[in-house]
Amino acid sequence: MDVALSRNGRRLMRVFFALAVVFLYAPIAVLLLFSFNNSELPSFPLSGFTLQWYHEFLTNSDIQNALVTSAKVAALSSVGAVALGILASIALVRRAFRGKSPISALLLSPLVIPYVVFGISLLLLYHTLGISLGILTIVVGHVVITLPYTILVLMPRLQQVDVALEEAAYDLFANRLQTFRFVTFPLILPAVVSAFLIAFTTSFDEYAVASFVNGSTTTFPIYLISAFRSPHNLPQVIAVAVVVITISLLVVVAAEVWRRRAEARLEAA
Amino acid sequence: MAVEVAAVPKPRRRRLRHALVTPGLLGLPIGWLICFFLVPVGIVAAYSLGPSLAASPHPVTLKTWHDFLHSTTYLRLFWSSLQLSLIVSVLVVAVAYPLAYYLALSGTKRKYVLLLLLIAPFLTSYLLRVLAWKIILGNQGPIDSFLSSVGLHPLSLIYTRFAVILVLGYIWLPFVALPIFVSLESLDRGLLEAASDLYASRLQAFGRVTLPLSLPGVFAAFLFVFIPTLGEFVTPSLVGGTSSSSGYMYGNAIQDLFVHGFPDWETGSVLAIFLLGVVAVLMVVFSRFLQPRQVAAD
């Protein structure tokens, strides 16, 4: 006898699980359907197949500029967050020091601050210091909110790395930087890549904080929200949404497959 | 050679600990958070105590706080946002629990593939998923146009409290399944077999063994939804209306006080600090539930 589930219970749960998956993917499927629909309005009945909306967004310079701006913001902030995250994780995992728990609480606290509160806080900081708003003011905020995610991804991996390997490197007269470069970093690389991807995608998609400190800079999320105010943009926005969601789903699956392989290989070695 | 290396470790290891400088490692990340996280929040706190305290030496005043605590408008709005967050979190945890239970305990072979299938939407764009619902629920959108094309009355779901709850639930569902799955997955199945050997029914085994042991995951999941939802303003501004009965939330009020119409930064700062205080209290109260060992020992 299975102690966790009866046979009927399992059937019921399988149906429930299938329904949940349908619920989760249905909105994405609806977007896909209407991205090919030959009508300005996303409504039934469907009025024929078209690639017009994809063609329009590919030639829409506003969308492209917004995508490029977001890519810049995400690249800068994810590199920054991963670099700070590596430093902080090494300290938290490898070092014993006083006040470790308040310091790790501080490092993780951006996880729980409401983004609207953080957004206005940054706005008031820039206002007080008289800093003009732009790409960098968004990057600063995104580094803060993605830093805890990088630490949460890097720490467990760093804990698995055997300290003896680092000590062996010191014994062979490697200095701190060399030890990190040739021993620690290659061993935590899968986690570094995961951390980078999480930080990049979070920043690329972030609207709440960016909306307070963007000035006249238009990131992709900010473009999307403003495009929604004018209905004739809607079909193009749907098409671009389909492309972005598809790419991010592919990246997620590829990253997961790659991470599993890399970790399996490291564990086998 | 080997003998030499073996003789070295102890003193050498001690020296290494001193060689790696903790402040050097922590200086940048901590400095960054102080400059761009703690100081900004401090400035908001200063604003809440009087206009432009940071710019000119201005007497500290509690007037804005007094007005806030005596105006029922904002406190009522906060209360209704709290209720909305509670509804969303409880609903999402209740739906996610059986999903995680199925993955962790049904013995299905493709458990990690199914888990990825469940979580993947969360890793795609938050904003695009909200916008997808804005289109779907819209007045001439797929649902309503479908209903009218088959002769039924359109539902006009957009700009309602229901729409906000539905979309927030949709956003959080995949994410919430994860901590519950982890706590169920780490459950020792031997305990369930022991319960069964002692003639416990499946329901009894669930109530006495599985559920209590998975509570840390449930609490973590609940907090993961409840805290961000409490300060939410993006989803309500897209699919909610303009009053608390139609899904307008406390976070929208903060945003409006800073960005739209007639900015009132002092009142906005009071609202923000109040929200931050509530979140801090929640974290302190609930953090003890998040330590698995403590709950398991009870």
Side-chain angles (χ1 to χ4, degrees):
Chain A
M1 183 186 107
D2 191 309
V3 286
L5 271 173
S6 68
R7 188 170 295 170
N8 282 331
R10 175 169 320 178
R11 268 192 210 127
L12 204 65
M13 280 201 166
R14 189 178 299 152
V15 172
F16 187 67
F17 191 89
L19 285 176
V21 169
V22 169
F23 172 64
L24 288 175
Y25 287 87
I28 300 172
V30 168
L31 285 186
L32 186 67
L33 185 69
F34 283 105
S35 72
F36 295 112
N37 185 37
N38 192 8
S39 159
E40 286 229 333
L41 279 176
S43 56
F44 287 108
L46 296 172
S47 40
F49 178 87
T50 179
L51 287 174
Q52 185 194 348
W53 312 125
Y54 285 92
H55 182 76
E56 276 187 14
F57 105 69
L58 285 174
T59 52
N60 181 332
S61 60
D62 286 348
I63 293 184
Q64 278 160 20
N65 291 339
L67 283 169
V68 169
T69 305
S70 272
K72 280 184 200 161
V73 170
L76 288 172
S77 62
S78 53
V79 167
V82 168
L84 296 181
I86 290 175
L87 291 172
S89 308
I90 292 178
L92 291 177
V93 173
R94 287 282 183 269
R95 310 286 304 151
F97 54 90
R98 291 177 82 190
K100 196 176 212 172
S101 65
I103 282 187
S104 53
L106 170 64
L107 287 164
L108 296 180
S109 59
L111 282 178
V112 293
I113 192 170
Y115 281 3
V116 62
V117 175
F118 180 54
I120 60 147
S121 307
L122 268 187
L123 176 66
L124 290 191
L125 173 79
Y126 297 144
H127 176 82
T128 307
L129 298 177
I131 295 171
S132 59
L133 303 176
I135 285 189
L136 287 179
T137 52
I138 305 174
V139 169
V140 163
H142 284 182
V143 170
V144 171
I145 57 181
T146 53
L147 178 60
Y149 292 105
T150 68
I151 293 174
L152 288 178
V153 171
L154 289 166
M155 270 180 62
R157 184 67 215 163
L158 209 54
Q159 271 154 356
Q160 287 171 6
V161 173
D162 192 346
V163 189
L165 293 171
E166 290 167 9
E167 280 168 0
Y170 290 116
D171 287 342
L172 296 167
F173 303 106
N175 63 28
R176 250 180 277 155
L177 216 60
Q178 286 170 323
T179 305
F180 177 75
R181 167 74 185 80
F182 294 109
V183 179
T184 317
F185 187 74
L187 287 169
I188 61 167
L189 188 60
V192 171
V193 174
S194 299
F196 178 80
L197 280 178
I198 289 172
F200 189 94
T201 50
T202 305
S203 164
F204 195 87
D205 190 41
E206 209 284 325
Y207 172 77
V209 173
S211 70
F212 290 102
V213 294
N214 67 318
S216 58
T217 307
T218 306
T219 62
F220 182 59
I222 290 168
Y223 171 81
L224 281 176
I225 299 269
S226 67
F228 253 72
R229 299 210 179 93
S230 46
H232 73 275
N233 276 330
L234 213 53
Q236 287 180 49
V237 172
I238 294 177
V240 80
V242 167
V243 173
V244 171
I245 289 179
T246 309
I247 292 175
S248 53
L249 279 177
L250 288 176
V251 170
V252 165
V253 172
E256 181 63 19
V257 170
W258 182 82
R259 190 183 62 86
R260 286 233 192 112
R261 284 210 187 133
E263 286 194 349
R265 207 174 51 233
L266 286 173
E267 257 134 48
Chain B
M1 197 55 188
V3 179
E4 264 178 26
V5 173
V8 171
K10 266 203 172 169
R12 179 142 200 153
R13 216 171 272 172
R14 204 171 300 133
R15 217 187 41 163
L16 269 176
R17 285 216 182 102
H18 290 284
L20 275 170
V21 194
T22 311
L25 291 166
L26 282 174
L28 270 176
I30 294 290
W32 191 277
L33 289 185
I34 289 174
C35 292
F36 302 117
F37 184 64
L38 294 185
V39 167
V41 171
I43 294 176
V44 176
Y47 262 89
S48 81
L49 294 176
S52 60
L53 186 73
S56 63
H58 190 281
V60 170
T61 161
L62 288 173
K63 186 179 178 306
T64 328
W65 276 99
H66 181 270
D67 291 350
F68 168 75
L69 292 171
H70 286 81
S71 85
T72 48
T73 328
Y74 289 125
L75 289 179
R76 256 198 213 134
L77 181 61
F78 184 77
W79 181 239
S80 89
S81 298
L82 198 77
Q83 285 174 321
L84 193 149
S85 307
L86 205 60
I87 293 170
V88 170
S89 329
V90 169
L91 269 180
V92 164
V93 169
V95 173
Y97 196 93
L99 299 175
Y101 190 91
Y102 174 73
L103 288 181
L105 295 172
S106 75
T108 171
K109 277 181 193 137
R110 287 168 301 179
K111 125 168 102 173
Y112 289 103
V113 177
L114 291 177
L115 184 66
L116 188 61
L117 187 68
L118 195 63
I119 297 173
F122 188 79
L123 304 170
T124 71
S125 167
Y126 158 89
L127 198 59
L128 286 176
R129 287 182 300 141
V130 178
L131 292 176
W133 276 106
K134 187 175 167 70
I135 293 168
I136 292 168
L137 300 173
N139 280 331
Q140 286 169 305
I143 294 182
D144 278 0
S145 61
F146 176 77
L147 288 176
S148 20
S149 74
V150 295
L152 289 170
H153 196 65
L155 292 167
S156 300
L157 292 171
I158 194 130
Y159 309 131
T160 61
R161 197 171 158 92
F162 170 79
V164 176
I165 292 172
L166 173 75
V167 174
L168 286 173
Y170 173 82
I171 295 294
W172 288 110
L173 181 61
F175 184 62
V176 158
L178 198 60
I180 303 176
F181 171 80
V182 170
S183 67
L184 286 170
E185 171 77 353
S186 60
L187 183 83
D188 183 358
R189 284 181 72 100
L191 292 173
L192 288 180
E193 272 151 31
S196 162
D197 288 347
L198 296 167
Y199 304 104
S201 68
R202 285 193 191 93
L203 202 63
Q204 283 172 322
F206 175 75
R208 297 279 186 85
V209 181
T210 315
L211 185 63
L213 287 177
S214 63
L215 278 183
V218 170
F219 276 120
F222 176 84
L223 276 189
F224 284 159
V225 183
F226 186 70
I227 286 183
T229 305
L230 198 53
E232 180 66 69
F233 74 98
V234 179
T235 298
S237 74
L238 289 168
V239 299
T242 49
S243 69
S244 64
S245 58
S246 59
Y248 182 87
M249 291 181 73
Y250 188 78
N252 296 94
I254 298 179
Q255 190 208 13
D256 285 349
L257 286 166
F258 274 89
V259 180
H260 296 300
F262 304 96
D264 178 353
W265 288 13
E266 288 77 42
T267 307
S269 298
V270 168
L271 262 69
I273 295 295
F274 180 76
L275 176 61
L276 209 54
V278 171
V279 168
V281 168
L282 284 172
M283 285 310 293
V284 170
V285 170
F286 279 95
S287 62
R288 62 171 242 101
F289 291 113
L290 295 176
Q291 270 129 35
R293 268 179 227 110
Q294 222 171 4
V295 178
D298 286 345

